Amino acid sequence: MLYCRVIAYWTHTGGHLWWRRWSPPQFHLEGHWMEDGQWSSDFLSSGEDLAETLNDFDRGLFTFLGEQWQVHWLDDDASRTFREQHGFELSES
């Protein structure tokens, strides 16, 4: 089982007190790998690696630890149940 989420963040680049300047958004893919019911690995992907990973997801593939895996997506209810069981934050949407 693989759980992934994309994290967006900005860095403070300037400003004072009542106004701020921020960098353009940057994105990371946070992944958690579960094997035999135990969390065994996690990773961060960004930049070109992130784009490549997302392109692979579009093709139904995921490469991890030198092996290529077929992607099978959970439906909304199964995904919500999985996140609740394992303590991952749920969006408000």
Side-chain angles (χ1 to χ4, degrees), residues 33-63:
W33 181 261
M34 178 184 277
E35 195 168 352
D36 298 325
Q38 299 292 319
W39 294 110
S40 61
S41 296
D42 57 7
F43 64 91
L44 282 175
S45 181
S46 61
E48 288 185 26
D49 290 338
L50 172 58
E52 184 177 318
T53 299
L54 295 177
N55 287 337
D56 284 349
F57 282 166
D58 284 342
R59 292 191 299 274
L61 301 173
F62 177 66
T63 303

Side-chain angles (χ1 to χ4, degrees), residues 50-86:
L50 172 58
E52 184 177 318
T53 299
L54 295 177
N55 287 337
D56 284 349
F57 282 166
D58 284 342
R59 292 191 299 274
L61 301 173
F62 177 66
T63 303
F64 188 66
L65 301 175
E67 287 191 58
Q68 196 167 65
W69 300 82
Q70 182 70 42
V71 174
H72 300 279
W73 299 102
L74 297 176
D75 65 26
D76 289 345
D77 292 334
S79 176
R80 180 173 299 280
T81 299
F82 177 84
R83 289 178 287 150
E84 287 172 349
Q85 288 175 342
H86 297 286

Side-chain angles (χ1 to χ4, degrees), residues 5-35:
R5 64 181 164 192
V6 175
I7 300 168
Y9 70 95
W10 300 259
T11 55
H12 180 230
T13 61
H16 300 282
L17 300 176
W18 66 92
W19 60 276
R20 299 279 191 260
R21 287 192 188 134
W22 298 93
S23 69
Q26 298 176 25
F27 301 94
H28 289 274
L29 176 76
E30 177 183 82
H32 301 272
W33 181 261
M34 178 184 277
E35 195 168 352

